[in-house]
């Protein structure tokens, strides 16, 4: 019993300290599993000529209605048994159609980058909510494969509540699983 208590006392601070707070603003570099979960506390941007690499098993958890904009390159490359997760910290209100922001984050926007290709592979993207097409919005080069996209909401576009490709002639999209993504027509009052 003493060994169990000692083990808990030793491991508890390690588990608590293994989270990383990311304030709004520019991000780049490598996000390792040792810093996970990454708690996003504002809108974040990967600037032009910069790269954000997210390693397998990392959890990216938005702490409110914030999003990720990529003007440079993102390399979110998980593994089949160690997927990367993009989600919100609290889903309370996700199905409240009168509130476009409650219980959700605003998704990933990948802007045009003619030099480099972004990768989102073996990632889970869930609980986004937007007026139009925005779990992932791409207008650049991307390889988007083997992902799970679920529980996302859109209130304006019935055909694009999850993945939108715009002017993305070099996009490679394959082997993705889309589940329980909901378009909810909302009449203007």
């Amino acid at each position: 019993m003493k060994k169990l208590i000692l083990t808990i006392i030793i491991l508890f601070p390690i588990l608590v300290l293994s989270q990383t707070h990311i304030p709004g603003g520019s991000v780049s570099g490598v996000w390792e599993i040792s810093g996970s979960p990454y708690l996003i506390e504002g809108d974040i941007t990967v600037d032009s000529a910069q790269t954000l690499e997210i390693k397998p098993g990392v959890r990216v958890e938005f702490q409110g209605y914030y999003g990720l904009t990529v003007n440079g390159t993102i390399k979110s490359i998980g593994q089949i048994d160690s997927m990367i997760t993009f989600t919100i910290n609290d889903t309370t209100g996700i199905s409240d159609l009168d509130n476009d922001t409650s219980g959700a984050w605003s998704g990933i926007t990948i802007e045009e980058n003619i030099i480099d290709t972004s990768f989102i592979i073996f990632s889970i993207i869930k609980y986004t909510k937007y007026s139009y097409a925005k779990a992932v919005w791409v207008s650049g080069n991307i390889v988007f494969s083997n992902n799970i996209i679920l529980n996302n909401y859109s209130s304006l576009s019935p055909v694009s509540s999850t993945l939108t490709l715009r002017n993305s002639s070099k996009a490679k999209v394959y082997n993705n699983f889309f589940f329980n993504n909901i378009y909810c027509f909302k009449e203007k009052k």
Side-chain angles (χ1 to χ4, degrees):
M1 184 66 171
K2 287 182 182 181
K3 287 183 181 181
L4 177 61
I5 292 172
L6 182 60
T7 302
I8 291 171
I9 290 171
I10 291 170
L11 289 179
F12 183 74
I14 294 170
L15 295 174
V16 171
L17 295 175
S18 69
Q19 61 188 11
T20 305
H21 292 267
I22 305 292
S26 297
V27 295
S28 63
V30 180
W31 290 1
E32 301 277 356
I33 188 70
S34 61
S36 187
Y38 288 82
L39 307 178
I40 311 304
E41 299 170 340
D43 289 312
I44 56 174
T45 302
V46 179
D47 292 329
S48 180
Q50 297 295 313
T51 299
L52 175 61
E53 181 178 354
I54 304 174
K55 294 293 189 174
V58 165
R59 181 178 178 88
V60 180
E61 186 177 281
F62 291 81
Q63 302 302 295
Y65 191 73
Y66 308 120
L68 166 60
T69 300
V70 180
N71 295 315
T73 305
I74 186 169
K75 294 181 178 178
S76 174
I77 304 174
Q79 297 172 348
I80 193 165
D81 61 344
S82 189
M83 296 182 82
I84 296 163
T85 301
F86 294 89
T87 190
I88 183 77
N89 66 327
D90 181 3
T91 60
T92 303
I94 186 76
S95 59
D96 178 1
L97 303 180
D98 292 324
N99 185 331
D100 285 338
T101 63
S102 63
W105 60 290
S106 70
I108 301 170
T109 301
I110 300 176
E111 298 293 353
E112 186 172 356
N113 182 340
I114 59 173
I115 298 169
D116 291 319
T117 298
S118 285
F119 296 86
I120 299 179
I121 300 171
F122 285 117
S123 295
I124 299 168
I125 301 167
K126 59 185 179 176
Y127 299 117
T128 67
K129 188 192 287 187
Y130 214 74
S131 297
Y132 64 93
K134 182 80 183 281
V136 181
W137 176 276
V138 179
S139 59
N141 300 332
I142 190 167
V143 175
F144 191 84
S145 70
N146 298 296
N147 299 300
I148 299 171
I149 301 90
L150 71 153
N151 298 329
N152 299 288
Y153 286 74
S154 172
S155 61
L156 287 181
S157 177
V159 295
S160 57
S161 64
T162 53
L163 173 64
T164 300
L165 301 174
R166 192 177 122 246
N167 300 326
S168 300
S169 62
K170 294 183 180 178
K172 295 179 181 166
V173 178
Y174 55 92
N175 293 340
N176 295 289
F177 180 70
F178 297 85
F179 179 74
N180 201 36
N181 296 291
I182 299 172
Y183 158 67
C184 303
F185 176 74
K186 188 167 70 172
E187 201 172 314
K188 297 285 183 191
K189 295 178 182 179

